[in-house]
Amino acid sequence: MSRSRTIDTPDIEGSSASEPASRKHVLDLDDFSQEEISAVLDSARSMKEVLGRDIKKVPALRGKVVVTLFYEASTRTRISFEEAGKVLSADVINMSSSGSSAEKGESLLNTGLTIQAMGVDTIVIRHPHSGAPYLLAQQLDKVSIINAGDGLHAHPTQALLDLYTVRDKLGSLEGCKIVIVGDVLHSRVARSDIWGFAKMGAKVVLSGPNTLMPPDLIRSNNNIARSAFASLVEVDTNLDRAIEGADVVMALRLQQERQHAGFLPSLREYIRRWQVTDERMARANPGAMVMHPGPMNEGIEISNSIAHGGSSVIEEQVTNGVAIRMALLYKVTIGPAQQL
Amino acid sequence: MQERQIMNQEDVRRALTRVAHEILEHNRGAEDLVIVGIHTRGVHLARRIAASLVEFEGIEVPVATLDVSLYRDDLGTRSQTQTKLQPTDIPSGIQGKRVVLVDDVLYTGRTIRAAMDALVDFGRPQQIQLAILLDRGHRELPIRADYVGQNLPTAISERVKVRLVETDGTDEVALIFEEIYSEDSDSESEPESNE
């Protein structure tokens, strides 16, 4: 038998034994295991330490190129990804649909192929159509795709930063109760959060007007078997009841255009029944925290005093968002080991 | 794959004890010293060395931890890519301090290069020293250790496995190698002394 020479670096062996398999894309949390989510949250904690330094710069992604491709308006998500990439020393190029060749009618796929041909390593995409990031992930073989929000479908990086924020405060997500209030129907944040919190062993309760609950989640007693997704949550349209014993209350933005589309009898009624207020928070567990994915309509889904009160972790969510996006950019851009 | 023990529990303990004494001797005490362990096993070794310093001289030396992943030059090319980061925690700071870096195995030197790059982002230490449990040779960078638990000449095809109570339930260093002759398979079992 001949001696085979294997070249590797055994001085780092061992510690990666339980490491989850490497990942090329982040599209939604449905294909994340509990272990992988935990690993991302742990990495984000180390990234947060980097953000706390005097010199916020590490060379990890030096020479890598990240493009943020946004077909929808965004402040926090785009800036958050840009900061995350720059702190990791990647070159970050921002592209939005206005002012790009998308205005000349270029298809998403052709834009993606063009960006890939330029040697970009990772594309962060936000798109008004559900599934757009999946199209790029299927068709582009050389770049990693991170979903920064697609239509009504998913917003996995927001969900991970929510998980991080809650775990940071409570120590663990196992067994905690999270109430998501408001326009769940049009919320991609809620859908990814449901996957994430449920996978981590938290109990998720949705509350809001019936018209704004996803039909696949509320039809529980007809002939259609509940989907795996629907079995992850409970729905209680009575917020005063739903909020009892909650550890986390997450208010969702009531998107202005919904108020005129027949989903709500009146804005005043919505405020009266589903606004997150001090009185309602008093029914939650002591020390319960209030979250909001932003941007907020203060005075509608959340009262002013709650939005800026002691129970609010809304600003921490934003800070943690940068750390989470660093962890994800690092994870997918470094990528699986190349074949030597 | 065959495995041969290089250091047993007692060997590891003695080596660390000697390294701790050498650190005290070389620095004439422990003033301004910070011990920085490199994840994962270097952190545990750093804590043990710090505990020895308390035992020998009653001096509490700050222990810091360092994850060098973000500073590596071989990201994405290693056979095992590690994307889960460990906490970096340098509570005492290192500005003007004598830093003793601690790791389990010194091999190519690339981890130590990355560690030094990471350290200078936290300040300007007066000096950086290096303590290592096992030096297996094959340096690819001009780096040497100031304190060495044991030197072990190895072949590149071999692997070194350090096990510690904190991570693996036992203290030992083992050499893992592929069998060269298929005939006399169970030939090695006698304890070896390497030097």
Side-chain angles (χ1 to χ4, degrees), chain A residues 25-73:
Chain A
H25 308 296
V26 178
L27 301 174
D28 195 3
L29 293 190
D30 55 354
D31 65 346
F32 275 69
S33 66
Q34 187 178 43
E35 293 70 37
E36 190 175 9
I37 291 174
S38 290
V40 170
L41 302 186
D42 290 344
S43 293
R45 194 169 49 200
S46 294
M47 293 302 188
K48 204 172 172 184
E49 179 273 317
V50 173
L51 290 171
R53 294 182 190 173
D54 294 339
I55 301 170
K56 294 187 266 293
K57 195 83 167 176
V58 290
L61 297 186
R62 210 170 36 162
K64 303 287 183 184
V65 182
V66 175
V67 167
T68 66
L69 183 57
F70 275 56
Y71 288 88
E72 250 184 32

Side-chain angles (χ1 to χ4, degrees), chain A residues 210-232:
Chain A
N210 243 322
T211 48
L212 293 178
M213 294 292 114
D216 58 321
L217 297 186
I218 51 175
R219 270 188 221 119
S220 52
N221 51 1
N222 59 10
N223 293 332
I224 305 165
R226 278 162 72 88
S227 65
F229 185 64
S231 66
L232 301 175

Side-chain angles (χ1 to χ4, degrees), chain A residues 12-13 42-43 46 53 60 337, chain B residues 70-71 78 84-86 160:
Chain A
I12 50 151
E13 89 285 343
D42 290 344
S43 293
S46 294
R53 294 182 190 173
Chain B
L70 298 173
Y71 293 84
R78 282 177 293 162
K84 177 176 166 177
L85 304 177
Q86 308 285 332
V160 170

Side-chain angles (χ1 to χ4, degrees), chain B residues 15-180:
Chain B
L16 289 176
T17 304
R18 178 171 50 75
V19 165
H21 279 298
E22 284 176 6
I23 289 171
L24 286 170
E25 186 183 5
H26 184 262
N27 294 287
R28 300 184 166 185
E31 194 157 335
D32 283 338
L33 220 55
V34 180
I35 301 185
V36 179
I38 299 173
H39 278 290
T40 304
R41 288 174 182 76
V43 170
H44 300 298
L45 296 175
R47 292 198 180 114
R48 291 196 201 179
I49 290 171
S52 295
L53 298 184
V54 173
E55 190 186 325
F56 301 154
E57 311 238 326
I59 313 167
E60 286 266 7
V61 174
V63 177
T65 64
L66 194 62
D67 184 320
V68 304
S69 305
L70 298 173
Y71 293 84
R72 295 198 74 95
D73 60 2
D74 50 2
L75 283 170
T77 58
R78 282 177 293 162
S79 55
Q80 59 249 329
T81 302
Q82 223 179 333
T83 52
K84 177 176 166 177
L85 304 177
Q86 308 285 332
T88 292
D89 185 20
I90 307 187
S92 56
I94 56 160
Q95 184 71 35
K97 300 282 179 66
R98 292 160 182 264
V99 172
V100 180
L101 272 175
V102 182
D103 203 0
D104 52 356
V105 178
L106 181 58
Y107 180 35
T108 61
R110 289 179 191 272
T111 303
I112 304 305
R113 199 278 311 160
M116 290 193 289
D117 273 2
L119 276 180
V120 297
D121 274 0
F122 288 89
R124 183 179 184 279
Q126 184 193 332
Q127 201 176 40
I128 300 178
Q129 303 165 12
L130 176 60
I132 221 83
L133 180 61
L134 188 96
D135 184 346
R136 61 166 293 192
H138 303 289
R139 216 75 77 237
E140 293 169 3
L141 295 170
I143 282 170
R144 57 152 184 78
D146 300 273
Y147 315 103
V148 180
Q150 184 169 340
N151 283 297
L152 177 73
T154 58
I156 288 180
S157 61
E158 294 164 335
R159 287 160 44 91
V160 170
K161 180 82 191 156
V162 173
R163 297 192 178 94
L164 297 179
V165 169
E166 294 91 331
T167 49
D168 313 279
T170 178
D171 277 350
E172 68 165 350
V173 179
L175 188 67
I176 299 169
F177 54 94
E178 226 163 306
E179 229 175 309
I180 299 171

Side-chain angles (χ1 to χ4, degrees), chain A residues 38-319:
Chain A
S38 290
V40 170
L41 302 186
D42 290 344
S43 293
R45 194 169 49 200
S46 294
M47 293 302 188
K48 204 172 172 184
E49 179 273 317
V50 173
L51 290 171
R53 294 182 190 173
D54 294 339
I55 301 170
K56 294 187 266 293
K57 195 83 167 176
V58 290
L61 297 186
R62 210 170 36 162
K64 303 287 183 184
V65 182
V66 175
V67 167
T68 66
L69 183 57
F70 275 56
Y71 288 88
E72 250 184 32
S74 162
T75 315
R76 70 201 70 221
T77 305
R78 195 181 58 73
I79 292 178
S80 175
F81 267 111
E82 185 174 352
E83 182 181 356
K86 286 182 170 169
V87 170
L88 291 173
S89 298
D91 290 301
V92 182
I93 300 168
N94 293 313
M95 188 183 144
S96 53
S97 52
S98 66
S100 75
S101 46
E103 281 191 338
K104 298 180 187 168
E106 187 176 54
S107 72
L108 172 63
L109 181 54
N110 282 336
T111 302
L113 288 166
T114 303
I115 294 173
Q116 172 170 267
M118 290 173 184
V120 165
D121 297 283
T122 299
I123 294 177
V124 177
I125 178 173
R126 165 166 292 188
H127 200 281
H129 292 166
S130 303
Y134 289 77
L135 175 77
L136 291 187
Q138 281 161 12
Q139 301 294 326
L140 308 183
D141 54 350
K142 296 189 190 71
V143 292
S144 289
I145 306 294
I146 297 181
N147 182 359
D150 63 327
L152 305 182
H153 172 247
H155 195 351
T157 65
Q158 174 73 38
L160 285 167
L161 76 87
D162 290 340
L163 295 174
Y164 181 92
T165 305
V166 176
R167 196 184 76 165
D168 198 35
K169 290 277 172 196
L170 299 181
S172 161
L173 293 158
E174 184 77 45
C176 81
K177 178 179 176 182
I178 167 154
V179 180
I180 302 178
V181 190
D183 185 0
V184 179
L185 179 61
H186 301 98
S187 175
R188 56 194 173 209
V189 174
R191 297 190 88 90
S192 287
D193 267 328
I194 291 168
W195 279 118
F197 278 99
K199 288 202 180 205
M200 300 308 283
K203 180 183 176 187
V204 183
V205 179
L206 308 178
S207 191
N210 243 322
T211 48
L212 293 178
M213 294 292 114
D216 58 321
L217 297 186
I218 51 175
R219 270 188 221 119
S220 52
N221 51 1
N222 59 10
N223 293 332
I224 305 165
R226 278 162 72 88
S227 65
F229 185 64
S231 66
L232 301 175
V233 296
E234 284 175 29
V235 176
D236 189 344
T237 53
N238 182 337
L239 179 56
D240 289 321
R241 192 169 55 209
I243 211 166
E244 272 173 30
D247 300 293
V248 180
V249 178
M250 182 185 299
L252 299 175
R253 183 166 70 96
L254 185 67
Q255 304 183 18
Q256 301 286 345
E257 56 273 23
R258 316 292 172 219
Q259 297 161 24
H260 309 293
F263 287 102
L264 300 171
S266 79
L267 193 56
R268 227 172 44 166
E269 174 171 326
Y270 181 86
I271 292 169
R272 193 164 50 80
R273 294 189 59 184
W274 290 289
Q275 187 181 73
V276 178
T277 60
D278 291 295
E279 298 77 60
R280 291 207 164 96
M281 284 308 293
R283 293 166 164 270
N285 273 348
M289 68 191 97
V290 176
M291 307 180 84
H292 193 300
M296 281 189 282
N297 294 312
E298 280 182 43
I300 298 179
E301 71 265 8
I302 188 167
S303 73
N304 301 66
S305 64
I306 283 287
H308 301 285
S311 58
S312 162
V313 293
I314 295 166
E315 280 179 32
E316 284 168 79
Q317 286 177 273
V318 178
T319 309

